[in-house]
């Protein structure tokens, strides 16, 4: 997963907090370009939130959407936790 490769965060930087969670939503265009990034929920740990946002920004463009995808864009929810990244809700 492209975004996880660009995420430079490790558990030591979370000051021992294992319950941190940031939820970001990204708008992916058919070309794979990430057009918008916004926080659905911030973790409250500014370094953690910044690192998640930068990882997403650095990951554009993603691979193109499948040829048969007919909508003008795809929204993808991403859940960042100290132990890794999960794909969340999609629209």
């Amino acid at each position: 997963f492209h975004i996880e490769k660009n995420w430079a965060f490790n558990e030591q930087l979370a000051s021992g907090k294992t319950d941190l969670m940031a939820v970001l939503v990204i708008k992916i265009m058919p070309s794979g370009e990430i057009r918008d990034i916004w926080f659905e929920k911030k973790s409250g740990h500014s370094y953690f939130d910044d690192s998640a946002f930068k990882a997403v920004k650095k990951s554009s463009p993603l691979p193109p959407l499948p040829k048969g995808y007919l909508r003008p864009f795809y929204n993808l929810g991403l859940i960042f936790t100290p132990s890794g990244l999960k794909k969340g809700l999609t629209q």
Side-chain angles (χ1 to χ4, degrees):
F1 194 50
H2 296 275
I3 295 169
E4 199 156 26
K5 285 191 293 193
N6 288 325
W7 194 30
F9 189 84
N10 64 45
E11 295 188 37
Q12 287 81 30
L13 298 173
S15 316
K17 295 180 181 170
T18 55
D19 60 343
L20 293 175
M21 184 175 81
V23 181
L24 286 97
V25 180
I26 61 175
K27 179 191 274 189
I28 305 169
M29 305 311 288
S31 65
E33 174 196 357
I34 297 174
R35 181 69 55 87
D36 290 320
I37 308 166
W38 66 94
F39 279 94
E40 193 88 347
K41 176 186 180 300
K42 287 191 173 190
S43 72
H45 189 286
S46 60
Y47 182 80
F48 184 85
D49 292 340
D50 285 349
S51 70
F53 190 88
K54 286 176 186 165
V56 172
K57 201 168 179 149
K58 196 192 292 188
S59 300
S60 188
L62 294 170
L65 295 177
K67 293 246 183 279
Y69 191 79
L70 301 175
R71 296 174 76 187
F73 60 86
Y74 180 76
N75 280 348
L76 176 64
L78 301 167
I79 302 168
F80 288 84
T81 67
S83 59
L85 172 65
K86 301 175 188 123
K87 286 189 237 179
L89 306 170
T90 58
Q91 300 171 7

